[in-house]
Amino acid sequence: MRKASVFVLLLVLAGCQGRVREPEILWDRWGVPHIFAADIEGLLAAFGYAQAESHADLILRLYGQARGRAAEYWGERYLESDEWVRTMGVPGLAAEWWKVQSGDMRAGLAAFAAGINQYACERPDAVSEQAHRVLPVEPTDILAHLVRVVHFNFVTRPHLIGAERSRWEAGGSNAWAVAPARAAGGHAMLVANPHLPWSDLYTWYEAQLTGAGIDAYGATLVGFPILAIAFNDYLGWSHTVNTYDGADLYELELEGEAYRWGGGRKALEREEHVLKVRRPDGSFEERKLVVRRSVHGPIIGFRRGKALALRVAGLDAPLIAEQYWDMLRARNLKEFEAALRRLQIPMFTVMYADRDGRILHFFGGRTPVRPQGDWNFWQRPVRGDSPATLWTRTHGYDELPKVLDPPSGWLQNANDPPWTTTFPEALRAEDFPAYMAPRSMSFRAQRSARMLDEDTSISFEELIAYKHSTRMELADRILDELLEAARRYGGPRARRGAEILARWDRAAEADSRGAVLFERFVREWRRRSEKTGLFREPWSEAEPRTTPRGLASPQEAAAALEAAVEATEKELGAAEIAWGEVYRFRGGPHDLPANGGPGDLGIFRVVDFEGGKAVGGDSYVAVIEFSRPVRARALLSYGNASQTGSKHAFDQLPLLARKELRPVWRTRAEIEANLERRQVVRLTVAP
């Protein structure tokens, strides 16, 4: 008998004393749960149950890590994760947050945990034995997971902890809002398009929640108890990772177990943790972890008599789930802004549109009110020996950048600073503190703005087509000069490469021949130009959409193309090869030619590859028109399940390869016409 049987028995006994809810889950043929319930307990209990059915092993692994006990459950490879979680104080913070949740949200979080537990109770053989070690799930596990993901992954920028840097750099997002005046159909439209790695804590889950005053459709990160990107009949929003700084490093001068502070010395706070580590034979060993803290925050490193302390904003804002709940309930801009004003979500751009035709871009987050310095000053460790550099409060809603209903009729964000959200510019960086956000505009953001600005009457179908654009803005900017440089300064291979690139469509479609060579040229060009620079004219605030431009060294560019042709022929057998022959969408039974590519080439449809296989980028996509009724299409690139044996793991890859979105079904008639199965779940929630 499985070791989890004791857990199952305990749950059964506990269920005799709980309240019973019987929500209905309608599973459509893409594995999306449409949940109908009478109250928040039934709704979130069913949401937890549905997430467990689709992702039980993943959720339990993530919750185990959020507890800081993953090495105890699964071995030494998780020890670094546990040390990070314990050093940041995540479990204790989750316990404090639990105490201040409102009554309804406490009930909802408890119900979400109960739903996960009940699934594991009813289907013990569907959950791996390793995952069973985490059970039962407690409501504080949900909050710990929120804190770990949002504050100690997104806010802290994982380059601060080294090992996660490459995964962070794969992330990003696009978001658009189009006003009725710019829309062919006369209705506001919204594009939600986060780009994240296709695994682990970045995995999206798609669902509909109906009941308790909401009827919302969207997606959230696995293990989250509420939708994070969503729409209803009245409005919708998306997020991008904004150019926000909510975490700072302070360099401390140490004197034994103290540090210099305000002209004197201050003792470091010290606490000891004992971490259990599971050995391969199932036995355990213990490791001691000493955590030290200064007034700034936890110490994350020591070197030559100095220490680095990490200060993170938003840890005093415990009502993230409640704010999202209020956003889901909102029916107009006034109600939506009332929720945003609470600033419980510590970061992220909010891109908004509604059926009244209003559009909004809000640079969200708990931005610290810093006593000095500009953006660059705070990107490196600052002196931590005086209160003069210590921030203690954050900006309010009215102090943060936002654009409402711009004359252009459109808003965009592609992880660029808020100043370039629309043109003519509606924000001036000079009107905000110099540390608020950097001043720049990437090639992807320039491509984003170009597509919106060049079409004065955008249809719903055109919006979908633009979202899938693989045109490379960087190629449009430099290719003509590169061809001339290759013909003038290059050898035989460079001239052959120029002929290939001259025939190329400047896109990363599956059948684009020349895209592979251009990508490899760019890599080589950047490597060779680290000291001299790439462009003749750097990016300029005066010309944000047409700079940088010009080759700094045509001769160096020609040499880079020569080397790229040689390397591509050696690696792939030919320099003129289709993009989709090299880059693939692989998962489950599928191995399909890919389209899309790295955002730094100025491609709007971002797809990130490792070893030729797509591993990130375009993940959840939704395009919404706020007509009556609302019209929407969506896609979850890797499917809505990861659990072993699920037919919905990677079942949407063929649509991704064809650049198609699925219709979104929201009414009962639509759902039942596309029904895979109906489930009435008898769920027991805490008394």
Side-chain angles (χ1 to χ4, degrees):
M1 182 178 292
R2 185 185 287 272
K3 293 179 181 178
S5 58
V6 174
F7 157 73
V8 172
L9 177 60
L10 290 173
L11 275 183
V12 171
L13 293 173
C16 297
Q17 303 175 20
R19 294 189 298 274
V20 174
R21 295 291 185 270
E22 294 187 336
E24 184 180 27
I25 307 176
L26 302 181
W27 294 90
D28 72 28
R29 56 191 174 89
W30 293 106
V32 176
H34 304 259
I35 300 170
F36 298 85
D39 57 22
I40 188 173
E41 285 184 300
L43 202 62
L44 295 192
F47 195 32
Y49 189 97
Q51 284 201 37
E53 180 155 326
S54 304
H55 293 288
D57 284 7
L58 174 58
I59 291 172
L60 293 173
R61 178 166 57 81
L62 294 175
Y63 285 0
Q65 290 178 271
R67 287 178 183 170
R69 295 175 61 189
E72 176 184 342
Y73 301 137
W74 307 302
E76 186 156 7
R77 67 193 181 98
Y78 287 94
L79 182 60
E80 185 178 349
S81 169
D82 287 352
E83 290 173 342
W84 173 253
V85 167
R86 298 290 188 93
T87 299
M88 295 301 106
V90 170
L93 191 61
E96 292 301 313
W97 280 22
W98 174 245
K99 295 175 184 177
V100 298
Q101 300 299 308
S102 68
D104 282 350
M105 190 49 61
R106 283 174 68 90
L109 292 171
F112 186 82
I116 296 171
N117 289 331
Q118 185 154 330
Y119 177 80
C121 173
E122 294 177 0
R123 300 284 309 280
D125 293 334
V127 181
S128 72
E129 185 168 352
Q130 288 194 342
H132 264 285
R133 295 169 186 164
V134 180
L135 293 166
V137 170
E138 300 289 343
T140 49
D141 295 327
I142 303 165
L143 294 173
H145 176 58
L146 279 171
V147 172
R148 176 179 177 248
V149 172
V150 177
H151 294 79
F152 295 111
N153 187 74
F154 284 101
V155 173
T156 57
R157 302 297 202 267
H159 66 271
L160 294 176
I161 55 173
E164 294 286 329
R165 179 170 186 172
S166 63
R167 302 179 71 169
W168 164 260
E169 290 174 345
S173 300
N174 297 324
W176 283 353
V178 179
R182 200 85 180 188
H187 306 288
M189 297 186 290
L190 180 71
V191 174
N193 181 206
H195 307 146
L196 289 174
W198 290 0
S199 62
D200 200 52
L201 54 82
Y202 303 102
T203 304
W204 289 99
Y205 190 67
E206 188 174 359
Q208 179 179 357
L209 303 179
T210 302
I214 68 170
D215 183 0
Y217 190 103
T220 195
L221 294 177
V222 162
F224 282 26
I226 199 75
L227 297 175
I229 291 176
F231 68 95
N232 57 33
D233 285 332
Y234 306 94
L235 56 83
W237 77 90
S238 188
H239 285 316
T240 65
V241 173
N242 50 347
T243 52
Y244 153 87
D245 182 0
D248 291 317
L249 289 172
Y250 288 86
E251 188 175 80
L252 312 181
E253 296 280 350
L254 297 179
E255 295 181 5
E257 284 288 311
Y259 58 100
R260 294 180 186 175
W261 178 251
R265 298 169 70 254
K266 189 174 181 64
L268 289 167
E269 297 177 17
R270 187 179 189 277
E271 61 184 40
E272 291 188 6
H273 297 256
V274 176
L275 305 181
K276 284 188 176 181
V277 180
R278 181 180 290 264
R279 296 189 180 103
D281 63 3
S283 64
F284 296 94
E285 63 179 293
E286 294 184 346
R287 305 281 183 90
K288 187 169 79 170
L289 173 68
V290 177
V291 177
R292 295 174 174 84
R293 289 186 174 88
S294 69
V295 295
H296 314 84
I299 305 301
I300 65 168
F302 295 91
R303 188 178 68 173
R304 288 190 285 242
K306 295 183 179 181
L308 279 181
L310 175 63
R311 189 166 186 79
V312 179
L315 300 179
D316 58 345
L319 305 179
I320 297 176
E322 188 169 292
Q323 179 173 323
Y324 275 126
W325 181 262
D326 289 341
M327 290 161 67
L328 292 171
R329 295 170 60 193
R331 297 190 172 198
N332 53 49
L333 178 63
K334 182 178 179 181
E335 293 176 2
F336 189 80
E337 278 201 283
L340 285 187
R341 282 183 175 277
R342 303 174 71 182
L343 293 180
Q344 297 297 296
I345 303 168
M347 67 174 294
F348 304 124
T349 291
V350 177
M351 192 69 74
Y352 165 96
D354 66 29
R355 77 176 188 181
D356 296 327
R358 314 299 300 276
I359 62 174
L360 169 72
H361 174 190
F362 171 54
F363 183 83
R366 287 279 180 134
T367 300
V369 178
R370 295 183 168 91
Q372 60 180 282
D374 60 9
W375 174 265
N376 290 330
F377 177 84
W378 290 94
Q379 299 314 295
R380 57 185 183 271
V382 300
R383 290 182 59 176
D385 59 358
S386 164
T389 59
L390 182 68
W391 49 262
T392 57
R393 61 190 181 93
T394 56
H395 285 279
Y397 180 79
D398 292 323
E399 299 172 310
L400 297 172
K402 64 183 71 65
V403 177
L404 177 65
D405 300 331
S408 65
W410 58 268
L411 295 163
Q412 72 81 33
N413 188 263
N415 308 115
D416 46 320
W419 330 122
T420 54
T421 187
T422 195
F423 293 88
E425 290 107 319
L427 292 171
R428 285 169 26 96
E430 293 80 4
D431 295 335
F432 296 86
Y435 55 71
M436 183 68 70
R439 302 186 186 191
S440 63
M441 191 175 189
S442 69
F443 284 115
R444 173 162 57 96
Q446 291 180 35
R447 186 75 205 166
S448 174
R450 177 200 291 268
M451 289 188 288
L452 287 169
D453 198 36
E454 289 179 350
D455 191 339
T456 59
S457 181
I458 305 172
S459 70
F460 183 72
E461 291 74 18
E462 286 174 327
L463 201 65
I464 293 172
Y466 293 151
K467 183 264 144 308
H468 288 108
S469 172
T470 69
R471 183 90 177 190
M472 296 188 191
E473 188 73 16
L474 178 57
D476 283 338
R477 192 66 52 83
I478 68 167
L479 189 56
D480 290 340
E481 286 192 41
L482 174 61
L483 299 182
E484 181 180 346
R487 290 161 182 157
R488 183 172 181 181
Y489 302 109
R493 287 193 180 92
R495 291 193 292 273
R496 188 162 67 252
E499 292 173 2
I500 294 169
L501 294 178
R503 295 190 291 269
W504 170 46
D505 60 5
R506 303 190 181 191
E509 296 298 313
D511 59 356
S512 292
R513 294 181 177 273
V516 172
L517 177 60
F518 184 76
E519 180 205 28
R520 281 157 170 71
F521 154 73
V522 171
R523 288 184 202 165
E524 181 67 19
W525 179 47
R526 286 173 175 159
R527 187 187 68 78
R528 289 169 175 258
S529 304
E530 286 182 358
K531 295 181 179 179
T532 60
L534 298 170
F535 300 101
R536 184 173 63 252
E537 297 179 51
W539 183 81
S540 165
E541 286 187 82
E543 299 178 277
R545 294 167 55 190
T546 57
T547 55
R549 58 177 171 244
L551 299 173
S553 171
Q555 295 92 332
E556 198 68 74
L561 181 57
E562 182 96 16
V565 171
E566 181 178 10
T568 305
E569 290 177 338
K570 182 178 181 179
E571 177 189 354
L572 303 174
E576 191 169 15
I577 188 170
W579 183 262
E581 291 183 43
V582 178
Y583 295 110
R584 311 291 292 182
F585 292 138
R586 295 193 187 107
H590 305 293
D591 186 351
L592 304 166
N595 56 77
D600 61 1
L601 298 178
I603 300 174
F604 192 68
R605 179 182 175 76
V606 172
V607 181
D608 297 303
F609 300 93
E610 287 182 7
K613 176 186 175 181
V615 295
D618 259 17
S619 44
Y620 178 66
V621 178
V623 180
I624 306 114
E625 181 181 46
F626 289 97
S627 51
R628 301 189 189 190
V630 171
R631 180 163 55 150
R633 294 183 186 174
L635 188 77
L636 187 50
S637 296
Y638 37 76
N640 210 34
S642 64
Q643 201 65 2
T644 301
S646 174
K647 67 180 182 180
H648 296 299
F650 301 108
D651 61 337
Q652 298 179 48
L653 274 184
L655 298 179
L656 179 72
R658 297 196 299 268
K659 301 168 74 171
E660 295 179 10
L661 303 182
R662 311 174 341 258
V664 168
W665 303 307
R666 293 180 60 231
T667 67
R668 274 193 173 267
E670 291 173 333
I671 299 163
E672 291 181 353
N674 296 278
L675 194 64
E676 181 173 277
R677 59 194 167 95
R678 185 190 310 270
Q679 199 173 19
V680 177
V681 186
R682 185 179 174 84
L683 290 156
T684 303
V685 298

